[in-house]
Amino acid sequence: MTNEDILIVDDEAAIADLVEVYLKNDGYTVHKFYNAAEALKYTQTAQPDLAILDVMLPDMDGFTLCQKIRENHLYPIIMLTAKIEDMDKIMGLTMGADDYITKPFNPLELTARVKTQLRRYKRYNKGELLQKKPEEIEINGLYISKNNHQCSLYGEALSLTPIEFSILWYLCEHQGTVVSSEMLFEEVWGERYIDSNNTIMTHIARLREKMHERGRNPKFIKTVWGVGYTIGEK
């Protein structure tokens, strides 16, 4: 059984209650809210291990709520959306979400996503690593430590989500080689890559934004068109 705290924000009581039942059955402690204001108030004094946010809320859209949470917290965020357009998915990921699931959904799939995100969060954000020795890499002013989840650029700390950190670490670990989108996705997400998947592109764009990279001529994360991404001076 687990002891993680899960935040659920959904104005549809039936859905929120259903998700709560499944998560509690798996041993999670659930904190449930039906609007963004109460959820935000909760996050100011509490530290859940993961948040599940509905996109359509009565007082604030879920994307904005996600962005506000990301100002102070790095725990995983899963978005619930009734829309399937790529732009909605990209917007959620750009605002700092780690995953999304489209309504209607199978509660068992959602709980599986929760477990996956929590495993990744523990591994990369809390230092529960398989490696016994600290690992760190420095590339032309970019410093990243896998041991304590610290990352800085020219001495300025970068606030990265667990997903962003995982992507950047993998690229740094494979400096000097081109990493395909397929390889990067399957390594970080642990799922099979789909050709039409824009997830990697979206997260790379977000990383470049946080690193103040120029879109056309980035210094660090470079696009090798038709192949993938590389980092450094190659």
Side-chain angles (χ1 to χ4, degrees), residues 56-97:
M56 302 299 292
L57 295 171
D59 53 344
M60 178 190 301
D61 69 82
F63 296 137
T64 302
L65 175 58
C66 174
Q67 192 172 33
K68 287 183 176 294
I69 290 176
R70 274 287 171 257
E71 291 175 0
N72 299 300
H73 303 287
L74 291 174
Y75 49 77
I77 296 176
I78 299 176
M79 303 299 296
L80 299 180
T81 174
K83 300 179 180 179
I84 60 174
E85 291 82 357
D86 284 342
M87 189 54 63
D88 292 303
K89 299 173 185 176
I90 292 172
M91 180 179 292
L93 297 172
T94 301
M95 292 295 185

Side-chain angles (χ1 to χ4, degrees), residues 161-207:
T161 67
I163 288 289
E164 292 166 351
F165 184 90
S166 301
I167 292 173
L168 187 57
W169 174 263
Y170 193 78
L171 289 174
C172 289
E173 192 177 32
H174 294 81
Q175 180 189 9
T177 63
V178 178
V179 178
S180 68
S181 297
E182 179 179 357
M183 182 186 302
L184 194 54
F185 183 87
E186 293 183 355
E187 172 66 24
V188 173
W189 273 265
E191 300 175 7
R192 192 174 187 83
Y193 180 80
I194 301 174
D195 289 341
S196 60
N197 196 319
N198 292 315
T199 305
I200 291 294
M201 180 182 65
T202 302
H203 279 86
I204 291 292
R206 181 64 174 167
L207 270 170

Side-chain angles (χ1 to χ4, degrees), residues 21-22 34 36 43 46 66 108 112 117 123 135 142 146 163 172-173 188 192-194 199 220 224 234:
V21 168
Y22 275 82
Y34 301 114
T43 62
C66 174
L108 293 176
Q117 291 298 329
R123 182 181 179 190
E135 294 186 34
L142 172 66
K146 191 176 182 182
I163 288 289
C172 289
E173 192 177 32
V188 173
R192 192 174 187 83
Y193 180 80
I194 301 174
T199 305
F220 291 98
V224 180
K234 183 174 179 180

Side-chain angles (χ1 to χ4, degrees), residues 6 10 28 44 47 49 97 102 111 115 119 124 128 139 143 145 147 176 180 183 208 221-222 229 232:
I6 308 295
D10 196 319
Y28 298 105
Q44 292 170 359
Q47 177 76 13
D49 295 284
T102 305
T111 56
K115 291 175 183 177
R119 281 196 302 269
Y124 290 106
E128 296 178 8
I139 303 174
Y143 168 82
S145 170
N147 187 54
S180 68
M183 182 186 302
R208 285 172 172 162
I221 304 177
K222 303 176 185 294
Y229 301 93

